[in-house]
Amino acid sequence: MKRDIDVLVSEVGPRDGLQSIQTIFTTEGKMDWIRREAAAGVRQMQVGSFVNPKLLPQMADSAEVVGQSVLIEGLIVSALVPNMKGAVNGLAAGAHQIGVVMSVSEAHNQANIRRTVQESLNGFAEIVKYRDDNPEYRDRVISGGMATSFGCTISGAVPLKDVMRVAEGLVQRGADRLNVADTVGYANPKQVRDLFTELYRTIGTDIPVGAHFHDTRGLGLANVFAALDAGVREFDSCLGGLGGCPYAPGASGNIVTEDLVFMLEAQGMRTGVDLDGLLEAREIMERQLKGEPVHGTYINAGPPKGFTPATAAA
Ligand SMILES: [Zn+2]
């Protein structure tokens, strides 16, 4: 991470948000949003996902979006992939970072990608090998995404030892970084602090670890606070909390980028992100939605009187 920021805010709306709504954005519409948000100072964005376009038509133009996004100066462009085919396509499109996703919960992994956790770990090793075997991809980053780390809609509680086993498995197979996700919005702050404390104890602090929280039950930012306390310095979020929660219709989903940035900046943590610029990007994104709800509180309240963001004060 660059030293001029304290926390990396990673926007996942163009992937996570868009894949769970009905509206299909045009490539141009996605790029207007991505360019404006990058101009507001967001350094990393997950802009697409390399999955079967028949299953996710919203993501059918991911190669094009990645190709255009990597031309944006200073932006780390990441893409989500479920398997080797997705990784091959994502790397070919030019993504700086490939997020390979699997579930810690055996039942969820089977339901989602029809593989056992062990098969997914083996598949991860093959993707790392593919990257290593192709010298032109030497500087590409492979991230191990650990879905349902805090609970699962099928099997309920997910034991901490299962999370650690998957984390260790990914690191042993060459993960450059990890992303620990509360995919279904079950996490609470104490659980978050305990999990990340145990995670750093298990894998050390050399591998960067990001956290992906949902606000399904109103605990999203409280969970960020707990993760910060445990040492996490990278968070995924969605502008306007776009996307909701597929497991709880009507509920909010991903934590809201502008609320996250406000919380971090108010606490003196530099994100490098300009809040006014974010709201402009949100406006561009919102204009394209066809009735889907957006979330967030900063948009309605604005900054407190006399508020100076840490990034502006530095
Ligand atoms: Zn999410």
Side-chain angles (χ1 to χ4, degrees):
M1 191 188 304
K2 289 178 186 161
R3 275 199 210 94
D4 59 334
I5 59 173
D6 301 307
V7 177
L8 181 66
V9 171
S10 181
E11 172 66 47
V12 296
R15 194 280 303 171
D16 198 334
L18 288 185
Q19 80 169 36
S20 27
I21 64 170
Q22 296 299 320
T23 307
I24 298 180
F25 278 39
T26 62
T27 307
E28 200 182 24
K30 290 182 185 179
M31 291 313 304
D32 285 347
W33 166 13
I34 292 164
R35 286 199 190 93
R36 186 64 194 91
E37 194 167 344
V42 171
R43 309 263 175 105
Q44 181 169 298
M45 281 195 229
Q46 193 167 73
V47 301
S49 136
F50 289 85
V51 292
N52 183 345
K54 284 193 191 105
L55 299 177
L56 270 183
Q58 297 95 327
M59 296 293 116
D61 62 350
S62 287
E64 179 71 26
V65 174
V66 166
Q68 292 192 36
S69 298
V70 294
L71 302 176
I72 301 171
E73 172 103 32
L75 182 68
I76 301 167
V77 176
S78 101
L80 198 78
V81 310
N83 51 33
M84 175 62 100
K85 188 176 175 205
V88 169
N89 292 336
L91 288 166
H96 302 128
Q97 187 166 307
I98 294 291
V100 186
V101 70
M102 60 179 287
S103 289
V104 173
S105 154
E106 194 71 60
H108 194 270
N109 205 53
Q110 286 282 5
N112 228 20
I113 45 183
R114 296 175 204 287
R115 281 180 171 186
T116 64
V117 166
Q118 190 57 48
E119 285 165 350
S120 281
L121 285 171
N122 295 341
F124 185 85
E126 286 165 21
I127 291 171
V128 171
K129 182 174 185 311
Y130 176 77
R131 189 268 319 266
D132 293 346
D133 287 347
N134 287 274
E136 71 271 32
Y137 297 149
R138 205 176 37 222
D139 57 348
R140 309 296 182 85
V141 170
I142 310 283
S143 169
M146 299 163 53
T148 63
S149 288
F150 297 89
C152 166
T153 44
I154 303 167
S155 44
V158 171
L160 194 58
K161 67 168 180 21
D162 292 1
V163 182
M164 298 308 137
R165 191 173 67 83
V166 170
E168 274 185 306
L170 288 168
V171 171
Q172 282 160 4
R173 287 165 181 78
D176 299 308
R177 51 196 311 134
L178 297 179
N179 184 282
V180 183
D182 181 21
T183 313
V184 298
Y186 280 15
N188 68 71
K190 179 181 184 301
Q191 179 190 14
V192 166
R193 186 182 285 123
D194 290 349
L195 186 147
F196 283 107
T197 303
E198 184 63 23
L199 183 64
Y200 288 124
R201 208 177 282 150
T202 304
I203 64 160
T205 51
D206 291 342
I207 304 268
V209 175
H212 182 110
F213 292 124
H214 284 197
D215 197 34
T216 319
R217 291 171 178 80
L219 298 182
L221 290 184
N223 289 332
V224 169
F225 190 81
L228 283 168
D229 233 21
V232 178
R233 290 294 180 269
E234 180 183 325
F235 297 94
D236 291 352
S237 59
C238 266
L239 202 63
L242 185 66
C245 177
Y247 304 98
S252 54
N254 293 275
I255 57 169
V256 175
T257 303
E258 57 275 23
D259 292 357
L260 171 68
V261 168
F262 171 69
M263 181 180 112
L264 295 167
E265 293 283 337
Q267 295 187 128
M269 303 180 118
R270 295 165 304 164
T271 62
V273 181
D274 170 51
L275 276 160
D276 293 337
L278 266 190
L279 296 188
E280 283 172 34
R282 175 175 160 138
E283 162 73 33
I284 289 170
M285 179 269 284
E286 248 188 291
R287 273 206 301 261
Q288 304 177 64
L289 294 175
K290 299 198 171 81
E292 275 98 1
V294 278
H295 305 274
T297 51
Y298 182 84
I299 181 89
N300 298 319
K305 186 174 182 183
F307 173 62
T308 308
T311 293

